[in-house]
Amino acid sequence: MRYCVFVLGVSFVLGPILGGCGEIGSPVSVSNTSSPSPRPILSLAGAMAPGVTTPAADSEGSAARENAAAADYVPAEKDPLTRSARIANTAKQHTPLRILVVGAHPADVFDQSGGTMAHHVARGDWAGCAVLTHGVRVHDKVVSDDMFHRKEIPEAAELNKIIVERADAKSKEVIKACSILGVKEQDVYFLGADDAVLLANEAIVRKVARLIRKLRPNVIITHYPLENAGVGSQHATTGQIVMHAINLAAAVDPGDKTPPCEIAQVFFFGTGSAAVRSEVWGAQGGFYNDIFVDITDVAEKKIACLDAMASQGYGGDYARKRIEASDGAFGSRVKVPYAEGFISCYSTTQYYLPVSEINLEHSKDSNHEAINRSSYRVKVP
Ligand SMILES: [Zn+2]
């Protein structure tokens, strides 16, 4: 019982984005029969008020009225007067989401949102991952670790060969980790940018934009573009690249025959951007984690994902410590054992005020009960 409400909560958190908000309506449900009847014709200029029937046609005016009606015709499902009510009252099942996670480095996609992805895949949503850089120069046992203490680094040609080999090894680890979450190999994309100096340039923005048009996600999860005040951070640069790409993806682009694609919501990783601030760049801000996803039931999977990233030393003790220190810290903010935090990019449009089922349940608990609730520790060897 303790953790059984998370599914509703998650669907509540991310589900309403596309109007799939059937769960939201349950506390204050409105019967379908009370919804306004679909009006086949809506005059936005107010020529025909709701519920007012067309007067008996006379032969002189009927043709003109029919022409005007044809011009003003709005399908019932797009009627702006009743649209939100229709969505809120008739969407009994959530609209399956397509969620694309874009990370700067190989481990970012699951390190920062793996639990959330696991929930959505289990619910039947689609989740895909795009890894912007190969991550070899910053996060690799051979290139960034072993070579750190060498007296001499290999010649350029040899080093490039090693980088390609290591990038391939890291890609395989990411695919393995994603499979633990239920993300299919074919839905993991490697964009191959160099992680030494990652800049937001037109070429990479275009590449990401084309991927967005192709995959047509409703939701994108990526780094906060102002992480570390946007200075010298590959995470921040990735967030900026993705935001530029979202704009470009919403328009046509010569050379790409795929139609434009609009994104319903963007969530930024809370971890990293909103974790403990320890640099001067952290003095700036203004953001906060407004979404927490309780990932307690899949924390073990997340540890297994980190174990899979042997190339960057994320497995073993580090994985366990990281889950406790990071996801545990996020969880403790909202009194659950483990959570992932997110920063919503856009405001959301609701029909009812959004209060999650989890928050409602938590409001019934005393402070000590809340402490007990969040004290569970994942038991993994
Ligand atoms: Zn990273």
Side-chain angles (χ1 to χ4, degrees):
M1 177 59 198
R2 182 184 286 182
Y3 306 118
C4 70
V5 294
F6 83 89
V7 173
L8 272 179
V10 170
S11 66
F12 175 82
V13 164
L14 296 181
I17 293 160
L18 284 184
C21 42
E23 296 91 341
I24 303 172
S26 52
V28 194
S29 64
V30 175
S31 155
N32 286 343
T33 55
S34 67
S35 301
S37 303
R39 292 172 299 131
I41 298 170
L42 171 71
S43 168
L44 295 178
M48 185 160 55
V52 176
T53 53
T54 309
D58 59 273
S59 58
E60 197 174 309
S62 61
R65 273 195 295 276
E66 278 174 20
N67 286 341
D72 286 344
Y73 178 77
V74 177
E77 68 273 16
K78 293 198 172 173
D79 183 339
L81 186 67
T82 58
R83 189 171 183 174
S84 290
R86 184 189 61 78
I87 293 169
N89 295 326
T90 62
K92 295 303 179 196
Q93 294 183 334
H94 86 278
T95 303
L97 294 177
R98 292 182 61 78
I99 301 172
L100 176 64
V101 183
V102 186
H105 306 114
D108 287 329
V109 285
F110 48 83
D111 186 25
Q112 310 213 37
S113 66
T116 302
M117 273 197 283
H119 281 182
H120 281 276
V121 169
R123 191 178 70 163
D125 297 328
W126 177 87
C129 297
V131 179
L132 223 55
T133 75
H134 54 54
V136 172
R137 297 206 212 212
V138 178
H139 280 311
D140 183 64
K141 175 150 183 32
V142 174
V143 175
S144 61
D145 192 46
D146 292 355
M147 288 188 190
F148 189 82
H149 294 294
R150 281 195 196 175
K151 286 209 164 53
E152 193 172 86
I153 303 304
E155 294 287 344
E158 173 64 11
L159 183 56
N160 283 329
K161 184 167 162 282
I162 294 170
I163 287 175
V164 170
E165 286 169 5
R166 297 305 300 163
D168 187 49
K170 290 176 81 66
S171 303
K172 289 188 170 75
E173 289 177 344
V174 173
I175 288 167
K176 183 180 173 191
C178 286
S179 74
I180 294 168
L181 304 170
V183 177
K184 299 188 181 85
E185 179 174 350
Q186 75 241 30
D187 297 326
V188 184
Y189 295 82
F190 298 94
L191 278 73
D194 196 311
D195 59 339
V197 180
L198 179 66
L199 300 175
N201 59 52
E202 188 175 333
I204 196 161
V205 166
R206 178 154 282 121
K207 215 169 178 180
V208 176
R210 290 190 175 196
L211 187 65
I212 292 171
R213 284 196 210 95
K214 175 184 168 188
L215 299 178
R216 312 195 79 71
N218 316 114
V219 174
I220 288 182
I221 305 177
T222 191
H223 302 271
Y224 188 63
L226 296 179
E227 181 173 333
N228 272 29
V231 180
S233 161
Q234 293 161 354
H235 290 172
T237 303
T238 297
Q240 293 159 21
I241 288 167
V242 172
M243 293 311 293
H244 285 301
I246 286 170
N247 290 340
L248 180 56
V252 295
D253 193 25
D256 186 3
K257 292 181 178 175
T258 316
C261 173
E262 282 280 356
I263 304 301
Q265 181 60 293
V266 179
F267 293 102
F268 300 121
F269 301 131
T271 313
S273 56
V276 177
R277 297 177 179 188
S278 60
E279 296 178 43
V280 68
W281 312 117
Q284 299 185 23
F287 56 85
Y288 70 103
N289 291 276
D290 58 322
I291 302 288
F292 287 82
V293 175
D294 181 349
I295 62 153
T296 307
D297 61 335
V298 288
E300 278 189 51
K301 284 190 177 183
K302 205 164 163 182
I303 290 173
C305 288
L306 294 175
D307 278 341
M309 290 304 292
S311 73
Q312 63 187 66
Y314 270 20
D317 289 343
Y318 181 82
R320 284 131 190 90
K321 182 103 178 181
R322 186 170 176 85
I323 292 295
E324 287 297 338
S326 182
D327 295 0
F330 272 76
S332 73
R333 292 296 302 150
V334 289
K335 293 289 192 290
V336 298
Y338 304 94
E340 288 170 344
F342 297 96
I343 302 160
S344 304
C345 181
Y346 309 130
S347 58
T348 64
T349 307
Q350 308 277 353
Y351 188 72
Y352 300 112
L353 294 173
V355 182
S356 84
E357 295 294 331
I358 292 178
N359 282 11
L360 289 173
E361 284 294 312
H362 285 184
S363 69
K364 299 171 187 169
D365 289 346
S366 71
N367 178 257
H368 282 207
E369 286 170 328
I371 290 172
N372 287 339
R373 192 175 65 226
S374 62
S375 296
Y376 170 83
R377 286 198 296 167
V378 68
K379 294 167 185 63
V380 289

